Amino acid sequence: MTAAHVLALDLDDLDDLTDTAQMFVSKLRASAASFAAAAGAESAIVREAVPPARHRRSRCRVVLRYATGEESDVTFLGPVSSPARAREVTMSQFDTSIQLWLHTGQERSRRWLVPDEDAAGGVAVDVSAWLDR
């Protein structure tokens, strides 16, 4: 994909943002088994799920446990909202994008790893930058 991405609310009724945020968090947490399968891991736990807001990006921290006992702790950041962006990644596509990154080899590149003091190792995966690779 070459188009820029924006996180957009994908519900018709935006009056109840609290419910929208709860659905977002619930969906990410429910995706743990899919994250594990995509990564070839034995299990996964979604340690953090933060919905987007005007002042912050969405976040998803996933801890993967492999059959060897090894663990991988990865934080994902959703796209920055901007009306100037041409293409959108909806809230419901964030988990799918994470699964795709996990499934395609979990490549770490400076193009999509961004400093994040709250993430393990001090870096997070910028999902939109990875999709634009």
Side-chain angles (χ1 to χ4, degrees):
M1 293 183 187
T2 58
H5 299 275
V6 155
L7 189 63
L9 300 177
D10 56 346
L11 298 177
D12 293 332
D13 182 9
L14 298 180
D15 292 332
D16 196 351
L17 291 178
T18 301
D19 285 348
T20 302
Q22 286 300 321
M23 287 188 293
F24 175 81
V25 169
S26 295
K27 183 170 177 148
L28 282 176
R29 293 202 184 280
S31 295
S34 298
F35 294 157
E42 193 170 80
S43 64
I45 296 172
V46 175
R47 292 262 187 226
E48 178 183 25
V50 179
R54 282 181 287 208
H55 63 285
R56 70 168 184 256
R57 300 170 82 174
S58 56
R59 296 175 61 84
C60 181
R61 179 177 167 213
V62 179
V63 178
L64 301 159
R65 178 179 215 98
Y66 294 90
T68 61
E70 180 185 353
E71 286 189 356
S72 176
D73 188 334
V74 185
T75 299
F76 299 91
L77 299 176
V80 176
S81 293
S82 167
R85 305 274 179 133
R87 186 167 170 142
E88 297 181 347
V89 173
T90 64
M91 287 172 66
S92 64
Q93 294 171 319
F94 188 44
D95 64 324
T96 305
S97 299
I98 292 169
Q99 288 175 43
L100 186 59
W101 183 85
L102 291 167
H103 179 73
T104 58
Q106 304 178 38
E107 183 183 358
R108 282 142 168 99
S109 169
R110 291 188 307 177
R111 291 181 295 162
W112 50 83
L113 291 180
V114 296
D116 186 314
E117 63 185 39
D118 296 325
V123 295
V125 177
D126 180 333
V127 172
S128 58
W130 178 74
L131 288 170
D132 284 341
R133 69 191 183 286

